[in-house]
Amino acid sequence: MASSNEFLDYTTVVVVFTSTVDKRRIVECCQIGKDIPKSRTFGYKFKSCPTPGCQPVPADMHVHNHGVKVHLRCLKCNWRSVSAKTDMDNKHFKRVNKLVVPQLFWHHFPPSTDLQNYFVELTNNEQAQPHQNKGKKGRDQQGKSKCRAEIVADVQDDSEMAGDQ
Ligand SMILES: [Zn+2]
């Protein structure tokens, strides 16, 4: 897979094998995919959107790459995730061989709900940080200034993306 993985541009592969843990044989199952900019982040096609009632298909979830950073945007409701980095392992996606094929990641198969929600969770966690967008329900004054800051950030982000295309 290190020397010839062109087929992973179009599909993923599921590997089933047995291993021995505490003298018991267990069956393991993992899926390997290639990280493809604008398409398959960490080798996986995400489609989870946190907006109530929004049910995007994978084609609705646009992948935006900026160097090693990647974020998703839902074309149906305009939700935008925070960025994740594609040059390192995370709790769900691990590189198969970070030196030889850094773009190949594996994850447990079938993918858990947790995995499918990776970007949603990442975004929720970041927004729950004290320094980020907190206190929306707080005093009016504070609420207003934060809203304005958010709008500015959004506009900047959109113009950045326009520049990239
Ligand atoms: Zn959405």
Side-chain angles (χ1 to χ4, degrees):
M1 216 169 278
S3 59
S4 150
N5 54 49
E6 290 77 20
F7 69 99
L8 287 174
D9 290 346
Y10 312 100
T11 186
T12 62
V13 72
V14 174
V15 183
V16 182
F17 57 98
T18 60
S19 61
T20 308
V21 177
D22 293 335
K23 294 181 184 165
R24 283 181 29 214
R25 272 161 63 89
I26 56 163
V27 176
E28 308 239 28
C29 198
C30 68
Q31 186 168 27
I32 298 172
K34 189 189 270 189
D35 182 87
I36 301 172
K38 299 187 176 185
S39 167
R40 242 195 280 253
T41 306
F42 304 119
Y44 187 77
K45 273 202 177 284
F46 290 92
K47 59 166 191 165
S48 286
C49 176
T51 305
C54 187
Q55 292 184 321
V57 296
D60 295 323
M61 202 49 89
H62 264 210
V63 179
H64 296 276
N65 297 79
H66 299 273
V68 297
K69 287 186 166 182
V70 61
H71 72 262
L72 306 180
R73 188 185 282 274
C74 174
L75 293 189
K76 284 209 156 170
C77 71
N78 224 24
W79 172 77
R80 180 206 194 278
S81 78
V82 295
S83 295
K85 292 181 80 179
T86 55
D87 63 342
M88 57 199 282
D89 295 351
N90 59 55
K91 70 171 177 169
H92 295 296
F93 300 93
K94 318 285 179 196
R95 283 164 301 177
V96 174
N97 183 323
K98 58 185 171 192
L99 293 177
V100 183
V101 277
Q103 73 276 38
L104 294 196
F105 287 82
W106 70 267
H107 60 81
H108 289 292
F109 185 87
S112 63
T113 310
D114 218 21
L115 180 152
Q116 295 172 50
N117 287 329
Y118 178 61
F119 276 90
V120 173
E121 263 185 36
L122 210 62
T123 305
N124 290 347
N125 288 345
E126 188 151 313
Q127 284 169 353
Q129 300 285 315
H131 63 279
Q132 292 261 355
N133 305 335
K134 212 193 166 184
K136 270 184 188 163
K137 278 186 271 179
R139 282 128 292 180
D140 257 319
Q141 202 75 28
Q142 209 178 3
K144 273 180 195 158
S145 62
K146 293 231 161 133
C147 276
R148 224 171 297 143
E150 272 172 21
I151 292 163
V152 170
D154 246 352
V155 169
Q156 277 177 342
D157 184 54
D158 282 338
S159 57
E160 262 174 42
M161 278 188 304
D164 276 357
Q165 279 154 9

